[in-house]
Amino acid sequence: MRYPVKIMPDGDAFCVSSRDLPELNSVGYSLDEAMQEALDGIETNFMIYMLDRKPIPLPSKKQKDETEIRLPVRTAAKVALYNEMLKQNVSKAELARRLGWSQIQVDRLWSLTHSTKLESIEAAFDAIHKELDLVVV
């Protein structure tokens, strides 16, 4: 999953914004730092959407003046799981019941800072009758 962002020079800094995530506003003092801050900002935006129980917008097609920020596979899988649970109106409590897990274990599924095993994410998809597939590009 790759999110297009615009990185604009501003004095001695680089400002990052996104059409898909209007709340994103990151700054770096080198291009590499701006790209790392963009990833951090994207993940922070996702956490805000999750707290507000809003669907996370999927990335749009990159435009000519944009750079793509690639999400870690685990983050992309968690976003897909979160959005699918919202779509199906499956609560965290219901997912915990279906999996026989504690609430804390399900909370970790949604935590972008927790290194959830892919097997656990896959089990959660199974519980909502979906499959998690990886594609090498």
Side-chain angles (χ1 to χ4, degrees):
M1 187 178 286
R2 297 172 185 266
Y3 276 81
V5 298
K6 190 174 281 193
I7 301 176
M8 301 292 294
D10 184 15
D12 62 344
F14 293 89
C15 296
V16 181
S17 62
S18 170
R19 291 178 291 113
D20 300 318
L21 303 165
E23 303 86 355
L24 177 65
N25 187 14
S26 295
V27 176
Y29 292 95
S30 70
L31 196 51
D32 286 341
E33 184 183 14
M35 292 180 72
Q36 183 57 46
E37 291 297 322
L39 176 58
D40 185 56
I42 289 168
E43 290 179 335
T44 299
N45 270 256
F46 291 168
M47 289 186 263
I48 293 168
Y49 280 101
M50 289 174 167
L51 284 172
D52 293 341
R53 300 290 195 263
K54 292 181 180 177
I56 294 172
L58 296 178
S60 59
K61 199 162 188 76
K62 177 185 167 292
Q63 294 181 351
K64 184 179 178 182
D65 61 341
E66 293 177 321
T67 301
E68 288 182 320
I69 303 297
R70 187 184 64 80
L71 299 182
V73 170
R74 187 175 288 113
T75 299
K78 287 183 177 195
V79 166
L81 175 64
Y82 168 80
N83 276 342
E84 187 60 33
M85 286 176 63
L86 284 184
K87 181 179 172 185
Q88 292 187 26
N89 201 28
V90 174
S91 67
K92 289 195 285 184
E94 173 60 19
L95 184 64
R97 186 191 66 72
R98 291 181 188 185
L99 291 166
W101 292 0
S102 70
Q103 187 67 41
I104 292 170
Q105 288 173 292
V106 174
D107 287 342
R108 288 180 186 145
L109 277 176
W110 281 18
S111 172
L112 300 180
T113 59
H114 186 267
S115 290
T116 308
K117 292 181 181 178
L118 282 177
E119 292 86 352
S120 297
I121 298 170
E122 188 174 23
F125 273 107
D126 286 345
I128 60 172
H129 311 292
K130 292 290 181 178
E131 290 183 14
L132 175 64
D133 279 335
L134 290 178
V135 177
V136 177
V137 291

